[in-house]
Structure formats: C-alpha cells, structure tokens
Amino acid sequence: MGRTPSSFRKIDKSLSHSDISHMLSLRDPLANRRLLDAAYWAKSRTLGRTVFLRGLIEISNVCRRNCFYCGIRRDNASVKRYQLTQDQILDAARLAHASGFGSIVLQGGERKDAAFVDFIARTLTRIRQETDRQLGITLSLGEQSADTYGTWFRHGADRYLLRLETTNPDLFRNFHPDDQIYADRLECLAHLRRIGYQVGTGVMIGLPGQTPDDLADDILFFKEHDIDMVGMGPFIPHPDTVHAPLIAGFDRRRQLQLSLRMIALTRLVLPDVNIAATTALQALDPEGRELGLKAGANVVMPNLTDAAHRGDYLLYPGKPQLDEASPAGQADLRETIGMLGEQIGFGLRGDPLHFSRRLRSGRA
Ligand code: SAH
C-alpha cells in the first residue's frame, strides 16, 4: 500500500478514551466519512485487501438462556425449535470446503448437557476428517466449563466467539436474568485463552441506555485483553422480547451509522485483529455488510444454514435470507466484494494476524 494521506494521519495514532467517545458521537457527514476512510486505510495497510469468509452454520436454536433481547431465548414460545443432525452439519461444512471458504462457524443456542458436549466433539472430529483438516473452525456456543472448552479444542476447534454484549457490568445486568453474570463471561474468555483458542468477543451496539463512553470502554477492553477477533453488531429490537415497544421509534439509519463508527474505531485501535462485518448490519441496510468492510472489517460470514431452518434462527428481526451457498449466491458475493476493490481469501483460513503476533511475543 502507499502512504497514508496526510489528512488521515491525524486520526491514525493512539486514541484516548475521550477521543474515541467523541468520534463515536460525530454527526458531521464529512468528519464521519473521514473516520471510516481512515479505518479502511488502516485495515488495508495492515492486512491487505483481502476479505476472509466464514461459512456460518446455525446448528440449533435450542437455548437454556433467557437473554432479554434475543429472539431465541428459552421462554419465547413462538419459536419452532430445531437441532441440525450431524449429517446436516457435515453437508454444510463440505459445501464450505468445496467452495473454498477457508473456515466455518458453528453457532447456536447454549446447551451444557453431556449429550450436547459429546455431539459437538464428535461433529468436530468428523468435520476434520472429511475436510482434510483444512477448514478453520470457530465455535460460538455460549458459556461452557473450562473442561468443555478444552474437549472441543482437542477435537479440532481453533477459535471461539463469546460476546460480552457490553463491558459495562451494570448494563449487562439490565439485559440478562440474575443467573447470568458478567464475571462468568470474563472467566470464560480467560479459559479460552489459556486453552489456546483464538479468542473473539464483541458487544451489541446502540443498546438502550448505552453511552458513547460505554462503547469507548468496550474498545479499550478489547485492546487491554489482547482479543484476536471482534464480532459486533447493532442491537435490533425483537418483537417477542421486552424490547418490542422500541420497534416503532427504532432509527435504523442512526443505529447503522453508529455501528460503522464503532467498527472503524475498533480497527484504528486494533489494526491487526479480525473484525466481522456481521449479518445484523445487513438487517439494517441491504448494503450494510459492504459498508462494514469499507469501515475496516475484514471478515464476512455467508450463511450456510439450510433454508428449511434459517427462518427459525431469528435472533433479531429483518435477518436477510440470502442463499449465499448457491453458485449464484457465491458469484454475487465475489462480485460485490470485487467491486469494493477487495479480493476473497479463497482457501485461506484467515487466522488473525494479532494471534500469530501474540504467540510470537510469548503472550499466549
Ligand atoms: N448462544 C451463543 C450464540 C448465539 S447468540 C452465545 O451466547 O454466544 C449470538 C449473538 O447474537 C449474541 O451474542 C448477541 O450479541 C446477538 N443478538 C442476540 N439478540 C440480538 C438482538 N436483538 N439484536 C442484535 N444482536 C442480537
């Protein structure tokens, strides 16, 4: 890459809490544009012009938790519950492999029973066998014991994504029942790291009552905790939750813009981590994901869940139902990303640069 244009250089330095908080609140369109451009520049310079694909397989919407904001929380009786079979998961993993997606994500509601732990372990073994160990595998299956995390790691999972949702413990308490404790999630992240996973976390952006100072804290938390991957997305009120009354006044545009600034500032503070342009961005704007990439994200997660179940995994409303696994869907994706001046890292696992640097520097 060439040199940083001088107008960007001012932003591209060590940012303080008050700088971040101030920039999260930018309203002036030109200043906003400059911020996003600076982040894209930082991403391109550090990581090149490559976007990595993670095929998303939503393995089950059965969940023992009752997070107030989430469409698949345990007490939402209007959800039709499903659990993919091992063969269905394997089909999706093979499709990802055959399509040159370097990695997959197995995501689902939280279960901790022995049968589930074992099911995931056996599924990991089969995925590894049948894809020549070439796929990077991320799990996103909530809070588990250190033993379970260890078992899944030994069976072939490389990465784990567990969002803190917010790093403000008071705010966390507002959005979760009493049996969900912020400190437990922190402990889970510590276990994951000790075991050797590439560790991902993230937050919801624009939660009711969340301030720019909170979001600035979140970014600095990612830095202080040496996080390898960040998955964040806008909060979107779901009709089957306590947040239903917020739907009428929900300002999608404002929420999208705030999310893009959050991605951009995260990229400026953490130039070498992987940041996903998440599906929730697309739920707010058909081009949300591309806008996320232009704001410094470097990962997209095409949905590989089969069409029969996808409609039952609605964490938030308006989730796009694109068929990105089909040849036409894949061609579209390639074209869209190509038009941004980026190329897809086909066949590459896309491990976070931050992870290899932290191993090299002995910060395991
Ligand atoms: N059970 C797993 C993964 C599934 S939930 C876990 O807890 O890690 C995945 C993510 O969806 C959550 O971490 C949350 O950040 C997001 N999510 C849930 N409800 C949402 C909503 N209403 N708006 C935006 N994101 C939401």
Side-chain angles (χ1 to χ4, degrees), residues 69-70 107-109 140 142 163 165 204 234-236 313 315-316:
Y69 43 84
C70 185
Q107 191 185 81
S140 177
R163 290 187 182 180
E165 315 300 356
M204 282 184 286
F235 161 74
I236 305 175
Y313 198 82
L315 307 171
Y316 43 83

Side-chain angles (χ1 to χ4, degrees), residues 254-268:
R254 219 174 125 185
Q255 196 78 333
L256 176 68
Q257 292 305 324
L258 176 63
S259 301
L260 295 174
R261 288 196 292 275
M262 185 69 182
I263 289 175
L265 285 157
T266 302
R267 173 58 72 205
L268 288 171

Side-chain angles (χ1 to χ4, degrees), residues 29-343:
L30 193 65
N32 203 62
R33 179 78 266 148
R34 279 236 292 280
L35 168 62
L36 305 190
D37 285 350
Y40 181 67
W41 194 270
K43 176 264 172 191
S44 308
R45 198 182 38 204
T46 315
L47 304 175
R49 294 223 161 164
T50 302
V51 173
F52 295 112
L53 301 184
R54 317 267 179 257
L56 177 62
I57 310 173
E58 294 156 334
I59 63 165
S60 166
N61 64 3
V62 178
C63 193
R64 60 189 280 274
R65 295 294 200 182
N66 231 342
C67 309
F68 298 155
Y69 43 84
C70 185
I72 64 164
R73 75 204 155 78
R74 182 188 64 219
D75 290 349
N76 184 5
S78 49
V79 175
K80 197 167 109 223
R81 303 289 166 172
Y82 74 89
Q83 160 78 57
L84 298 189
T85 64
Q86 198 172 67
D87 285 338
Q88 285 170 323
I89 299 172
L90 257 293
D91 281 347
R94 277 191 222 102
L95 176 62
H97 186 230
S99 307
F101 292 12
S103 63
I104 54 171
V105 182
L106 305 187
Q107 191 185 81
E110 188 175 303
R111 277 180 59 187
K112 295 180 88 156
D113 49 285
F116 181 73
V117 172
D118 186 51
F119 172 79
I120 297 297
R122 281 184 289 113
T123 305
L124 288 166
T125 301
R126 274 191 69 195
I127 293 173
R128 284 226 293 190
Q129 279 167 356
E130 297 186 31
T131 59
D132 293 332
R133 296 182 171 229
Q134 285 170 353
L135 282 180
I137 307 178
T138 305
L139 296 180
S140 177
L141 301 169
E143 294 177 29
Q144 303 287 345
S145 68
D147 272 359
T148 298
Y149 287 144
T151 301
W152 291 345
F153 185 75
R154 285 192 304 280
H155 282 77
D158 310 283
R159 310 171 177 144
Y160 204 100
L161 176 65
L162 179 69
R163 290 187 182 180
L164 288 164
E165 315 300 356
T166 168
T167 61
N168 175 337
D170 294 328
L171 207 51
F172 185 93
R173 222 171 290 127
N174 289 347
F175 290 93
H176 298 95
D178 289 346
D179 66 337
Q180 271 169 277
I181 297 163
Y182 177 74
D184 289 349
R185 288 221 179 176
L186 286 183
E187 203 176 293
C188 285
L189 291 178
H191 290 320
L192 290 165
R193 181 173 169 127
R194 202 170 14 78
I195 291 165
Y197 280 95
Q198 298 171 21
V199 180
T201 191
V203 296
M204 282 184 286
I205 304 161
L207 287 164
Q210 189 183 44
T211 64
D213 278 350
D214 289 325
L215 291 168
D217 284 340
D218 295 339
I219 294 178
L220 293 176
F221 175 100
F222 303 149
K223 183 175 181 184
E224 278 151 22
H225 287 75
D226 225 356
I227 290 300
D228 303 306
M229 330 182 287
V230 180
M232 306 179 285
F235 161 74
I236 305 175
H238 190 290
D240 297 334
T241 66
V242 289
H243 300 117
L246 299 176
I247 293 174
F250 185 59
D251 187 341
R252 304 163 79 88
R253 224 191 96 73
R254 219 174 125 185
Q255 196 78 333
L256 176 68
Q257 292 305 324
L258 176 63
S259 301
L260 295 174
R261 288 196 292 275
M262 185 69 182
I263 289 175
L265 285 157
T266 302
R267 173 58 72 205
L268 288 171
V269 175
L270 303 140
D272 61 0
V273 302
N274 280 346
I275 302 179
T278 53
T279 324
L281 289 172
Q282 250 177 320
L284 293 184
D285 182 315
E287 293 190 3
R289 207 165 55 175
E290 290 82 58
L291 294 170
L293 292 174
K294 291 302 267 184
N298 68 320
V299 168
V300 299
M301 296 163 62
N303 197 325
L304 297 180
T305 311
D306 65 302
H309 295 102
R310 215 179 284 180
D312 296 320
Y313 198 82
L314 295 183
L315 307 171
Y316 43 83
K319 222 176 124 206
Q321 301 290 312
L322 304 174
D323 185 6
E324 289 173 314
S326 69
Q330 287 190 36
D332 262 10
L333 190 67
R334 200 175 315 190
E335 188 183 318
T336 315
I337 289 175
M339 285 193 341
L340 298 176
E342 297 276 318
Q343 61 177 10

